[in-house]
Amino acid sequence: MIFSLPAHAELSELEGAAGHEEGTSSLWDLEGAQGQAGAEPEARSTDDGIDCQVEGPCIEKATGLELRVLPRPFSHLYGEAQAEADAIVQGNVPAFRPLYVFERSDVDPAQPDSPQGWYRVGSGAESPEGWMRAEDVFEWRQALLVSYTHPGDEIEGRNPVLMFRGLSDLDALVDDPERAQKARSLYERLEAGDVPDSLVSMEPKRFVDITDQFYMLPILDWEQTRIQGDDVRLLQLAAAVPNARGADTLENPEYAEQSLVGRQAGGVGREALKVDLVFVIDTTRSMQPFIDMTRDAVASLTRSFDEDTEARFRFGLVTYRDSTEVITELEYVSRNHTEELVDGQTMVTLLEDSAQATEVGSLDYPEEVYAGVDEALHSAWREEALRFMILIGDASAHAPGHLQSVTGKSAQDLRRELDDAQVHLLAIHLQDPRAAADHPVADEQFQALARIRGAKGAAIEPVDAFDQEAYQVLVDGVTDDIRQLLVETVGETTGSADKAAAPETPDDTLESVSALWNAALVEYVGKQARPPKDVVAWAMDRDLVNPADRALEVRVLVNREQLNTLAQSLEIVVQGLMRAEITQGEFFDALQGVAGQTMKSPDEIGQGATLAETGLLPAFVQSLPYRSDILALNDEMFSSMTAQQRADLEYSVLAKLEQYRAINEQVDAWFALNEGDRKSAHVYPLHIDYLP
């Protein structure tokens, strides 16, 4: 697709600036802030891109965002701009918890290493609560932060992120010719309880998923370098956890001990472990024998349950066909047969009575696979369960932009949503020798959907569609392996919650099933871990031992109001694209027709203008230092696009709108940075590639 962000946006792609290969770039350079010292506080304005209004928080001119600061540890809030003990109204303000700025007094942004002056701040946007010294806070203008990636399993996964006291300590290690060996030595010393002076803290070995346990790692500063020809970033980060206090350093025995607990180790919570297993099955006319064999596999699985195992399993069923707008006789595109997940016997009945293959043929070989996966994503998953999706189909999916594509989503779009929902997909690809030309297309799509989180492979099992016996063996094996892994995991002797080993994987278990199970278990056990907080440190965004493995990924912190504004803007863009297609006119002419007063001086926008220059999209999106081909779209580019490329563009925007809608509806996905925050101020850590 021409106009889309890369699947793995790197920080270099966010910055969009040259000249940072050598040395360190200050935060002011990263943000593109300009100007000299702040103006007099009585004027309530500055010349470095900040406006402090008569009422409400100070505003960044370029973004329209309210200016915020992050307090350093052990800082105080004063009633007046005087560092006197009797002026303290709140001692030891929560570290790195964002505060709104209402006024800046004698602040000189040109001297970030020796900050002077005062900030008048408040925990909410309604009113200030006191003053903080400039030396006690960091200005945080861009809502950029990073999150830990899924670390993979204990053996083949990446190493935890080490957090260094200073840039020089990290630089020395990164530049060392024996970097990998010395990094391994650091991990060995930590395991032995010997904390190097250069380290302040570390990421826990167990995985802390930011969409499940919210934490903040805002970027304060950064440096770019290269390792073995690959760009890597050294980031200065502040670590914070809302509503939690206390510095989590490696000098803290309690934190140090919990940070070294194995990724699948510990018995805490295992007694409650459950499994949700949702089948997503193609029900076009070639599929009836495989539906019947899937039913038999579930029936066999159910018969093997003891009372305890039966209570732990719940099943779901989603079936899919093709676009009913093209072939109305198909009855449905996708159907969820289990609004609530059901027990095994009910699932067998549903497979017998409800999941019948249609007798109606399709126009072409591909089916609406993505619609089935999208429907299954919205299953009634249980909070305490490992979540698995078994996709069974014999054909590829219609790509976004195709006439029969209902969702407009790609495999990569759905993969991100699967990750955020902690759903792990195994694909069974039934390969009909008569449709060999479709096999590579379907394989690529299924590989993307079934990528194993934290690993390099995919959980995909191809089988000859004419070999029904082989399919029966496979589906029996998949379901029974999951049962066996659950029984063995729950039955493990817990021992020490800190040092217990991960369960052994049976020798005859399918590799794809065991890999998915391990990835899901790492997430489950990670719920017992806690991320570091109240520290400032330097870290590399890659594995120190194996730099090819990404350890940190960039996100943008958005609130509900910002997400809704972004969605409304993209809806106008889609309307403009559709009108331009219908009228065969210029894109911006069409956009002016639907946007009206929303655009900046719409009558003045002419040839060469870009979508970013219209002012249609929220200012905070335009100001973020990342590259977007959609924002660069102009009439000339639109005119040069083929009909398919225009359709691809339209559907990519529609897919993002659908993702925004899904995120907005997730009650538990939104987090309050401060107690008492209004709901519209609750935030979500949005993937950078969810932006337009």
Side-chain angles (χ1 to χ4, degrees):
M1 189 178 300
I2 301 293
F3 294 95
S4 63
L5 287 171
H8 301 286
E10 298 185 356
L11 194 59
S12 61
E13 294 167 322
L14 303 178
E15 289 141 12
H20 295 302
E21 287 290 329
E22 305 292 338
T24 302
S25 167
S26 74
L27 186 61
W28 298 95
D29 291 337
L30 176 62
E31 294 166 348
Q34 303 292 329
Q36 305 298 321
E40 292 299 318
E42 299 85 54
R44 296 278 286 145
S45 66
T46 71
D47 60 0
D48 68 334
I50 302 297
D51 272 341
C52 292
Q53 306 300 320
V54 176
E55 294 183 0
C58 300
I59 300 295
E60 299 178 50
K61 296 177 184 177
T63 66
L65 293 179
E66 295 145 327
L67 178 63
R68 290 178 289 182
V69 292
L70 304 172
R72 296 175 184 267
F74 312 114
S75 301
H76 305 316
L77 182 72
Y78 297 86
E80 302 291 338
Q82 299 176 354
E84 304 291 343
D86 58 1
I88 296 175
V89 294
Q90 182 181 355
N92 194 14
V93 173
F96 312 125
R97 193 88 53 80
L99 299 174
Y100 292 91
V101 175
F102 291 81
E103 188 175 339
R104 300 194 299 175
S105 175
D106 299 325
V107 171
D108 184 359
Q111 302 294 329
D113 295 330
S114 55
Q116 303 294 319
W118 290 80
Y119 290 85
R120 195 178 187 192
V121 300
S123 58
E126 291 76 24
S127 61
E129 298 166 7
W131 293 83
M132 294 192 71
R133 297 184 299 180
E135 65 187 58
D136 289 338
V137 299
F138 298 98
E139 274 198 13
W140 186 40
R141 296 200 181 188
Q142 298 289 0
L144 292 178
L145 43 78
V146 291
S147 62
Y148 302 115
T149 63
H150 193 295
D153 64 28
E154 201 79 58
I155 298 174
E156 298 183 356
R158 66 167 177 81
N159 294 288
V161 174
L162 297 183
M163 309 180 81
F164 291 78
R165 293 186 185 278
L167 175 60
S168 59
D169 296 317
L170 179 55
D171 258 334
L173 176 62
V174 171
D175 293 340
D176 196 302
E178 299 181 348
R179 169 193 42 77
Q181 180 179 339
K182 292 194 174 182
R184 290 190 189 95
S185 177
L186 288 177
Y187 290 112
E188 291 170 0
R189 289 179 63 182
L190 289 170
E191 286 286 351
D194 178 17
V195 179
D197 292 338
S198 60
L199 296 182
V200 61
S201 192
M202 67 179 287
E203 170 199 7
K205 278 189 172 182
R206 291 175 291 181
F207 176 42
V208 185
D209 192 332
I210 193 171
T211 58
D212 187 59
Q213 300 182 69
F214 180 68
Y215 57 86
M216 288 185 61
L217 289 173
I219 302 170
L220 303 178
D221 205 348
W222 61 279
E223 178 183 284
Q224 182 167 299
T225 187
R226 295 177 74 84
I227 296 179
Q228 298 172 348
D230 198 6
D231 289 338
V232 300
R233 280 107 213 143
L234 312 183
L235 307 174
Q236 187 186 34
L237 306 171
V241 177
N243 303 316
R245 300 291 301 276
D248 287 327
T249 69
L250 291 172
E251 295 173 355
N252 178 338
E254 182 184 355
Y255 181 77
E257 184 177 6
Q258 77 91 28
S259 68
L260 294 171
V261 177
R263 287 174 189 159
Q264 294 166 283
V268 179
R270 286 198 183 193
E271 67 279 359
L273 186 62
K274 299 177 176 64
V275 169
D276 289 347
L277 189 58
V278 175
F279 287 84
V280 182
I281 305 177
D282 180 354
T283 53
T284 51
R285 60 181 178 180
S286 60
M287 289 295 296
Q288 192 59 52
F290 303 101
I291 297 170
D292 295 340
M293 285 184 282
T294 303
R295 175 203 62 208
D296 294 343
V298 174
S300 176
L301 176 67
T302 302
R303 288 194 297 271
S304 71
F305 286 160
D306 57 28
E307 185 175 346
D308 178 67
T309 306
E310 182 178 13
R312 295 177 185 273
F313 264 92
R314 283 297 177 269
F315 296 87
L317 176 62
V318 171
T319 56
Y320 67 89
R321 291 175 179 170
D322 210 338
S323 171
T324 53
E325 291 188 10
V326 177
I327 308 171
T328 56
E329 295 85 357
L330 286 174
E331 292 186 62
Y332 62 82
V333 180
S334 63
R335 176 175 291 173
N336 188 345
H337 302 261
T338 48
E339 290 187 7
E340 298 293 331
L341 300 186
V342 299
D343 60 36
Q345 191 53 54
T346 304
M347 179 66 172
V348 172
T349 303
L350 286 171
L351 285 165
E352 176 73 35
D353 299 336
S354 298
Q356 298 299 309
T358 180
E359 294 296 325
V360 179
S362 301
L363 282 183
D364 54 9
Y365 194 71
E367 311 291 357
E368 269 306 87
V369 182
Y370 296 156
V373 174
D374 191 47
E375 184 74 44
L377 263 168
H378 300 96
S379 297
W381 306 99
R382 294 176 295 174
E383 285 296 324
E384 67 278 19
L386 304 189
R387 302 170 180 182
F388 298 103
M389 194 183 294
I390 310 298
L391 170 63
I392 303 169
D394 64 354
S396 63
H398 292 112
H402 190 281
L403 179 63
Q404 290 162 256
S405 173
V406 174
T407 66
K409 295 182 180 180
S410 67
Q412 289 73 24
D413 293 330
L414 290 166
R415 181 66 251 178
R416 287 192 294 269
E417 294 184 42
L418 287 162
D419 287 347
D420 284 350
Q422 295 188 339
V423 176
H424 301 264
L425 185 147
L426 183 144
I428 296 179
H429 182 196
L430 297 163
Q431 297 182 337
D432 187 334
R434 297 169 299 182
D438 185 69
H439 294 175
V441 179
D443 183 71
E444 182 179 1
Q445 295 171 342
F446 286 17
Q447 290 271 358
L449 289 170
R451 178 180 53 79
I452 299 166
R453 201 174 182 195
K456 294 179 174 63
I460 181 170
E461 295 289 344
V463 62
D464 189 332
F466 285 171
D467 191 344
Q468 295 185 11
E469 182 178 349
Y471 174 81
Q472 188 71 70
V473 170
L474 175 61
V475 73
D476 282 340
V478 168
T479 54
D480 191 61
D481 284 350
I482 293 174
R483 177 197 63 81
Q484 189 173 354
L485 285 165
L486 172 66
V487 170
E488 294 188 0
T489 301
V490 173
E492 282 290 310
T493 302
T494 59
S496 167
D498 296 322
K499 301 297 181 183
E504 293 290 332
T505 300
D507 293 336
D508 59 348
T509 301
L510 283 166
E511 184 177 342
S512 57
V513 176
S514 62
L516 277 190
W517 182 270
N518 289 338
L521 191 60
V522 164
E523 293 172 345
Y524 182 84
V525 173
K527 297 177 189 293
Q528 302 298 324
R530 71 173 193 262
K533 62 183 184 301
D534 294 3
V535 297
V536 175
W538 284 86
M540 190 165 83
D541 68 344
R542 304 295 184 96
D543 187 333
L544 284 165
V545 177
N546 303 301
D549 295 337
R550 188 175 301 281
L552 297 167
E553 60 183 5
V554 180
R555 292 176 180 257
V556 180
L557 202 63
V558 298
N559 59 37
R560 284 185 184 273
E561 184 176 342
Q562 291 167 341
L563 191 66
N564 288 336
T565 301
L566 180 56
Q568 291 168 9
S569 299
L570 287 188
E571 285 174 354
I572 294 174
V573 172
V574 170
Q575 292 173 26
L577 291 170
M578 294 173 65
R579 177 175 288 196
E581 273 299 293
I582 293 171
T583 63
Q584 295 297 303
E586 298 290 343
F587 170 61
F588 280 108
D589 288 342
L591 197 60
Q592 290 170 20
V594 296
Q597 298 301 315
T598 311
M599 298 169 65
K600 290 180 181 177
S601 305
D603 295 336
E604 298 177 9
I605 294 177
Q607 188 72 18
T610 66
L611 184 57
E613 293 170 336
T614 66
L616 178 61
L617 291 173
F620 85 91
V621 172
Q622 300 175 49
S623 68
L624 286 174
Y626 83 105
R627 296 174 183 171
S628 165
D629 287 334
I630 293 179
L631 291 180
L633 182 64
N634 59 25
D635 271 332
E636 183 179 356
M637 293 170 63
F638 185 78
S639 298
S640 67
M641 294 169 65
T642 66
Q644 184 60 54
Q645 288 171 340
R646 293 181 182 184
D648 288 346
L649 173 59
E650 181 182 327
Y651 276 101
S652 72
V653 177
L654 287 170
K656 292 181 187 300
L657 284 170
E658 176 61 23
Q659 289 170 331
Y660 298 163
R661 183 198 63 77
I663 290 169
N664 195 48
E665 290 178 354
Q666 296 176 41
V667 177
D668 297 334
W670 294 85
F671 303 91
L673 294 178
N674 296 287
E675 292 183 12
D677 278 354
R678 62 190 188 278
K679 285 189 176 181
S680 61
H682 289 191
V683 296
Y684 180 84
L686 193 71
H687 282 284
I688 193 73
D689 45 359
Y690 275 20
L691 292 176

